[in-house]
Amino acid sequence: MSHPINGKTVLITGATAGLGRATAAQLAQQGARVTVCGRDPDKTARVAADIRARTGNAHVDHLTADLSALREVRGLASEFSRRHQQLDVLINNVGGIWAARHTTVDGLERTFALNHLAPFLLTSLLLDQLKATPSSRIVNLASQSYSWGRIDFEDLQGERDFSGMRAYRQSKLANLLFTYELARRLQGTGVTANVLNPGGVRTDFYNGKDLPPTIRAEAVFLPLMQSSEAGARACVHLASSPEVANTTGQYFVKRRPKKSKKMSHSRELADRLWRVSADLAGTGQ
């Protein structure tokens, strides 16, 4: 059976565990040329080798980068472009949450840097390649947490008053605002951009040592959540299905488009966030 994604080139971040790994495996199973990106060199290489072995797909590559560091985001984009001429699908899956405030090598708050600035910068750096590839797609991962998010431009980095949950919710709202603004800017280019809430998924997300109490409390519902493999199917759908080939600027909950909350559609908020993000990431856009 031939799949729509067969032979197409996919880059997926945060692909060494959970939803990212399951998505990479399912796309590889369907014949995609998949590059998995992870932070740990040995683990990333092992995951790529395991996917190759399990799927029989020899075209599973790996790249290593700590995407909380802007320099490493740039390095990832550069190395990927050196290895591949085309990019059919970019899946910005990497993310994290911490109870305590951590700063990156760039002096940025880690949640904001990893969950928002990393996909913002990586996408920007790969846009020319995406535009040069017919009918390419961008899939950004978010969560229902955006609903309680607020972009605090007066304390974007949580320097005055930090809350792990507040920082996470802010970053997830930023994912929606970024996706909608990106889709507007890409109109007429042939590149689509959508944002996905895969629903509750049983992953290592709930096993971290430095988690906010709210996330620890949610862990009691793990037995009721879907598996990584089930959650990944929604991501694979957005990445490959002909049904959504021309769909852009939409919020999906699992496989269904859904109207996100009013604040996520604010053009003024999205434009301001874009300008601040471009300044922090040094994209000059």
Side-chain angles (χ1 to χ4, degrees), residues 5-17:
I5 199 72
N6 183 51
K8 294 188 176 181
T9 302
V10 180
L11 171 61
I12 177 167
T13 65
T16 58

Side-chain angles (χ1 to χ4, degrees), residues 17-156:
L19 187 71
R21 180 171 181 167
T23 300
Q26 289 179 28
L27 289 169
Q29 184 69 52
Q30 295 183 13
R33 296 172 177 268
V34 180
T35 296
V36 297
C37 177
R39 187 178 56 189
D40 181 272
D42 292 337
K43 183 176 182 181
T44 308
R46 287 197 305 271
V47 167
D50 180 69
I51 293 175
R52 286 194 297 270
R54 289 176 180 271
T55 63
N57 185 341
H59 301 292
V60 179
D61 196 5
H62 69 279
L63 288 170
T64 305
D66 177 355
L67 296 182
S68 69
L70 298 176
R71 178 180 60 83
E72 297 204 29
V73 177
R74 292 183 181 276
L76 170 63
S78 177
E79 181 60 20
F80 179 84
S81 296
R82 188 186 70 80
R83 296 186 187 186
H84 302 277
Q85 290 187 330
Q86 68 183 55
L87 176 55
D88 295 277
V89 184
L90 170 62
I91 302 175
N92 287 306
N93 170 69
V94 72
I97 184 170
W98 297 272
R101 185 177 186 273
H102 302 273
T103 55
T104 69
V105 294
D106 303 295
L108 301 168
E109 190 277 313
R110 187 193 290 176
T111 314
F112 184 80
L114 183 65
N115 294 5
H116 170 62
L117 273 188
F120 178 88
L121 177 57
L122 183 61
T123 303
S124 175
L125 294 170
L126 294 173
L127 266 186
D128 286 344
Q129 206 163 351
L130 286 157
K131 289 176 181 177
T133 306
S135 302
S136 60
R137 308 184 189 193
I138 300 164
V139 181
N140 295 324
L141 271 291
S143 80
Q144 187 60 34
S145 291
Y146 91 88
S147 299
W148 301 279
R150 181 174 71 90
I151 308 296
D152 186 357
F153 288 106
E154 304 308 313
D155 192 23
L156 200 60

Side-chain angles (χ1 to χ4, degrees), residues 163-192:
S163 157
M165 280 307 303
R166 190 161 61 244
Y168 181 73
R169 290 166 176 168
Q170 174 180 254
S171 73
K172 294 294 102 180
L173 175 57
N175 292 155
L176 271 70
L177 290 163
F178 165 54
T179 304
Y180 294 157
E181 180 63 19
L182 179 64
R184 285 190 285 267
R185 293 179 180 227
L186 288 174
Q187 286 288 347
T189 66
V191 184
T192 64

